Amino acid sequence: MGFLFFPQTVWIPCFTICRASYNSIAILNANWRNQNGCENKTHMHTSQSPITEIPNIFKPRSARFATARRSDKDIQLTLFLFFFGLLVLLTFIWFVRKRRREIVTRRNRFSSTIRYTPAPTRSSVNIDSNDEEPHEELFYRLNRLGITYNIYKKKYEIDPLNLKVNAEKLGDGQYGFVNVGYLHNGEKRLKVAVKRSHKPHDEYEQGMFMAELTVMCAIEKHPNVLALIGGVTLTKPNKIIMEFVDEGSLLKFLDKYKKNEKDTYKELSTFDLISFAYQIAKGMEHLARIRCVHRDLASRNVLITSDGITKIGDFGLSRKYENKEYYRPRKEDPFKTFQPWLWMAPEAFENNRFTEKSDVWSFAVCLFEIFSLGDLPILNEIMRPFWKTADYLPQPKYCSDSVYEFMKLCWSENPEERPTFSECCDFFEKQLKHRSVKRFEDLERKLKKISKEHKTFKNWAGIN
């Protein structure tokens, strides 16, 4: 390296970068100005003189290319992060706008079919300081069932001041628990069952709770279906008021007999077991007639009175379906909704398709529970649907051959080969008459009496 000097100006270092290649030499010269400037003197460049970075054009080719590659990668990464973030932002905006459109559409649908009624004033209804508008889910569910809120309020809304809830618990379910309560109407008093939500402020659970209330509003009274008296929706916690059934669940009732703990119902005969099956079939026939699937039919969800009348209850999963051949849940969270898979038909378990025929399958599993006095419907103590390992459950201890053959028919793999609930009623009616016509006629009289009692429930609910 050499130096060129010019008087009164600056020193200019001359870098000679040589690259020999077959008799050719490339010489590059570059000029620097001293960082501290010059004072009309000639300066020699020393090791202490500050030198800035050599421009890129004067670097070896390999170094220039490495720098370019790093620069290109940085640009590519920046562009990727920019467009990815933009895509995420646009997706979020689309989701928010879609959700808002759904809410607006729902509200418009409500306003076109339901005339909203403001919460009753204190002059008309005595309601405590928890006064509030009914849950939006109530309007939505009523609208889907073709029931206006005004009709619901006049037929089913109950003034909470007329209701007293006791601490005595009757049962506990997936979305609520049931206590004993009393409705007051002047000097009259009616013993009832009061259901409340486990989590009254949880939106999902509250929606499922309202679904149960509204589907019970759509079910007309039947002696073998648990009757709705009314609901409390204008104050928290919301409540479902139902008729009181003194013996509780059929499963516990059967279990007491199995353990020889029952003494009030003196004796349990084959006629009684067939009678339970017949009454459950009657109640399910009523639901099928209005195109309502229960989806959770089991002996634990069937209630029984002290005189042997059975009533289908627990409508938490029950739904009405119109203009379709089957019902398929769409808004239910599979992680929050219990599915009774030991009782479920294959098409319900695997494809989420629920029809009268899927309820018939569950009915046959319920028959297994009845005629075994409450055995769990499993094979070899393995907790999985029996149809995954065998065609049928084994014949229960107290089940006749003819009844067992009918159960197997209900477990046909093809739903179309299963009987309807009307055919189930006919089958068990013949079984009852074959054993005792007189006892069958007595049963029918009891059912007619209950139908008359149900008509009086309308006197305990309704707010004008």
Side-chain angles (χ1 to χ4, degrees), residues 82-98:
F82 172 80
F83 285 110
F84 180 79
L86 182 62
L87 178 62
V88 171
L89 178 63
L90 292 175
T91 303
F92 176 78
I93 294 173
W94 173 83
F95 178 81
V96 171
R97 295 188 64 180
K98 179 176 181 292

Side-chain angles (χ1 to χ4, degrees), residues 191-207:
K191 191 174 185 179
V192 294
V194 182
K195 185 170 186 177
R196 288 175 288 177
S197 174
H198 284 300
K199 302 174 184 176
H201 299 290
D202 182 271
E203 284 296 317
Y204 182 79
E205 187 165 301
Q206 193 67 9

Side-chain angles (χ1 to χ4, degrees), residues 51-313:
I51 302 176
T52 59
E53 183 180 358
I54 300 174
N56 199 46
I57 59 172
F58 298 118
K59 293 181 180 179
R61 180 180 300 178
S62 59
R64 295 202 307 274
F65 287 175
T67 303
R69 285 196 295 271
R70 285 197 300 272
S71 177
D72 290 343
K73 288 182 179 179
D74 290 343
I75 294 173
Q76 291 173 1
L77 179 60
T78 302
L79 290 174
F80 171 79
L81 292 176
F82 172 80
F83 285 110
F84 180 79
L86 182 62
L87 178 62
V88 171
L89 178 63
L90 292 175
T91 303
F92 176 78
I93 294 173
W94 173 83
F95 178 81
V96 171
R97 295 188 64 180
K98 179 176 181 292
R99 181 62 179 166
R100 287 179 178 175
R101 284 197 300 270
E102 289 175 352
I103 294 174
V104 171
T105 302
R106 180 185 294 181
R107 287 177 178 173
N108 290 341
R109 186 167 66 249
F110 289 160
S111 62
S112 65
T113 56
I114 298 178
R115 181 174 297 173
Y116 285 81
T117 304
T121 61
R122 294 183 184 276
S123 60
S124 61
V125 180
N126 292 323
I127 297 180
D128 58 25
S129 59
N130 287 329
D131 250 9
E132 59 180 55
E133 288 289 332
H135 198 281
E136 181 183 346
E137 191 74 19
L138 177 64
F139 292 111
Y140 172 69
R141 297 286 180 177
L142 288 173
N143 181 58
R144 290 194 64 182
L145 295 172
I147 303 172
T148 66
Y149 177 68
N150 282 336
I151 291 177
Y152 161 79
K153 195 173 73 167
K154 290 179 180 179
K155 291 182 67 175
Y156 296 109
E157 187 65 30
I158 290 177
D159 185 344
L161 294 182
N162 295 334
L163 175 66
K164 181 180 179 181
V165 182
N166 290 2
E168 180 184 354
K169 184 175 285 189
L170 297 175
D172 204 339
Q174 184 179 5
Y175 297 113
F177 57 96
V178 183
N179 288 82
V180 174
Y182 290 92
L183 276 176
H184 297 270
N185 186 358
E187 296 181 355
K188 296 180 180 179
R189 190 175 78 157
L190 177 66
K191 191 174 185 179
V192 294
V194 182
K195 185 170 186 177
R196 288 175 288 177
S197 174
H198 284 300
K199 302 174 184 176
H201 299 290
D202 182 271
E203 284 296 317
Y204 182 79
E205 187 165 301
Q206 193 67 9
M208 297 296 286
F209 191 81
M210 288 299 173
E212 180 173 4
L213 172 61
T214 53
V215 79
M216 291 187 76
C217 292
I219 300 173
E220 296 180 3
K221 302 290 190 294
H222 187 278
N224 295 122
V225 176
L226 186 67
L228 173 70
I229 298 175
V232 176
T233 62
L234 294 177
T235 59
K236 294 282 187 181
N238 297 154
K239 304 175 183 72
I240 299 176
I241 317 302
M242 303 165 287
E243 66 174 315
F244 176 77
V245 182
D246 54 0
E247 286 292 341
S249 78
L250 178 60
L251 178 61
K252 291 182 179 179
F253 179 86
L254 295 171
D255 190 56
K256 288 179 180 179
Y257 269 101
K258 194 173 187 178
K259 297 176 180 177
N260 296 318
E261 297 175 358
K262 192 68 182 163
D263 53 6
T264 56
Y265 201 78
K266 295 182 180 179
E267 156 178 318
L268 198 61
S269 64
T270 302
F271 182 92
D272 296 316
L273 298 179
I274 297 175
S275 172
F276 301 157
Y278 168 71
Q279 293 179 71
I280 295 171
K282 291 278 286 185
M284 292 302 299
E285 179 190 30
H286 177 68
L287 296 182
R289 190 178 296 121
I290 62 171
R291 296 180 67 79
C292 177
V293 286
H294 190 280
R295 298 174 59 207
D296 195 10
L297 181 59
S299 62
R300 66 180 177 277
N301 293 329
V302 177
L303 305 176
I304 184 168
T305 66
S306 55
D307 58 352
I309 301 299
T310 59
K311 297 173 179 289
I312 298 167

